[in-house]
Amino acid sequence: EADIYQTPRYLVIGTGKKITLECSQTMGHDKMYWYQQDPGMELHLIHYSYGVNSTEKGDLSSESTVSRIRTEHFPLTLESARPSHTSQYLCASRGGVTGRQETQYFGPGTRLLVL
Amino acid sequence: AQTVTQSQPEMSVQEAETVTLSCTYDTSESNYYLFWYKQPPSRQMILVIRQEAYKQQNATENRFSVNFQKAAKSFSLKISDSQLGDTAMYFCALQGGSEKLVFGKGTKLTVNP
């Protein structure tokens, strides 16, 4: 079973504030992902990383940025939150040296509401 | 480009009955993986079942099984003896060599008592 954590689980914040969504995993997975899930539940890849110091933009353009300084940590930052950023954000990881390396495991998600 | 299509936005089933969720996909790759994920209301996305394309045998996990038709590029999920806890969004997904998972738009399944 995968151990991947996201904090906060829920966040209500005002327009213009800077926010960081945290994602950590304890499996030593090299690949990590951020998805944005719209109200219709469709998933959109916004960022991913192959490993430390590697970050790539996903299929959906996003004003957020990410960093990967440590293998286990993949935070997502919004410099200036806007109501259009209101969504659920899911973090996932996969990889490792044993087990189901091709399977992505998901965190519990962060529900963000920007007023 | 890889695509995944789930043609049933919503489905419902009576408790204890069997239901099949459809998924078709398109890829030019010969080696890939297919997945079904489940996301219960306001809860975490979890893996239900996975299938390796090079394996002809259909994957099974307890009450969940797939019908993998490689030539037809079809990957349906059968849930037997449906339970109330099976109520969730179900996503079909494809993992090829691009390192990215391609998801369908999901099927909302409701199990009625």
Side-chain angles (χ1 to χ4, degrees):
Chain A
E1 197 61 39
D3 294 315
I4 180 165
Y5 309 97
Q6 290 186 244
T7 57
R9 294 291 309 278
Y10 303 93
L11 180 62
V12 180
I13 202 163
T15 296
K17 298 293 186 182
K18 178 180 178 179
I19 59 171
T20 296
L21 308 185
E22 303 287 351
C23 176
S24 295
Q25 49 91 8
T26 58
M27 291 80 66
H29 288 173
D30 50 352
K31 300 174 180 67
M32 296 189 73
Y33 306 81
W34 275 104
Y35 295 88
Q36 185 172 337
Q37 189 168 32
D38 63 29
M41 303 298 282
E42 191 170 352
L43 290 152
H44 303 280
L45 180 67
I46 52 175
H47 297 283
Y48 60 102
S49 167
Y50 293 130
V52 172
N53 294 325
S54 153
T55 60
E56 302 285 344
K57 289 191 179 296
D59 303 320
L60 180 69
S61 177
S62 173
E63 296 168 347
S64 58
T65 59
V66 292
S67 62
R68 190 90 183 274
I69 299 172
R70 302 197 315 267
T71 298
E72 64 272 21
H73 195 213
F74 191 42
L76 181 145
T77 298
L78 278 165
E79 290 292 334
S80 179
R82 296 193 281 115
S84 61
H85 296 138
T86 293
S87 190
Q88 170 152 264
Y89 293 84
L90 301 181
C91 181
S93 72
R94 75 176 183 96
V97 294
T98 61
R100 297 179 169 183
Q101 299 176 18
E102 75 294 329
T103 300
Q104 285 192 25
Y105 296 95
F106 285 80
T110 294
R111 288 188 180 275
L112 173 65
L113 173 60
V114 183
L115 302 176
Chain B
Q2 298 178 328
T3 60
V4 175
T5 302
Q6 293 179 249
S7 59
Q8 305 151 316
E10 293 193 40
M11 294 188 72
S12 63
V13 64
Q14 292 300 120
E15 199 174 4
E17 293 188 347
T18 295
V19 63
T20 298
L21 309 184
S22 300
C23 173
T24 58
Y25 63 93
D26 192 27
T27 180
S28 58
E29 300 183 25
S30 56
N31 293 323
Y32 52 90
Y33 293 85
L34 292 161
F35 305 87
W36 278 99
Y37 283 91
K38 167 186 176 181
Q39 188 177 29
S42 300
R43 292 180 62 188
Q44 195 162 347
M45 181 96 74
I46 59 173
L47 177 70
V48 175
I49 199 166
R50 62 169 226 162
Q51 175 80 41
E52 296 154 66
Y54 63 87
K55 288 188 176 180
Q56 292 186 340
Q57 186 174 4
N58 289 325
T60 62
E61 289 285 346
N62 301 313
R63 298 182 295 108
F64 299 89
S65 61
V66 298
N67 183 6
F68 175 46
Q69 300 290 327
K70 191 172 184 179
K73 295 183 178 176
S74 171
F75 184 62
S76 61
L77 174 70
K78 185 172 82 171
I79 306 174
S80 304
D81 186 25
S82 296
Q83 301 176 359
L84 296 178
D86 295 334
T87 292
M89 282 292 289
Y90 286 82
F91 293 94
C92 180
L94 167 68
Q95 170 86 48
S98 70
E99 304 290 350
K100 295 187 285 185
L101 200 56
V102 179
F103 284 93
K105 293 187 177 183
T107 295
K108 183 179 180 181
L109 176 67
T110 302
V111 179
N112 298 309

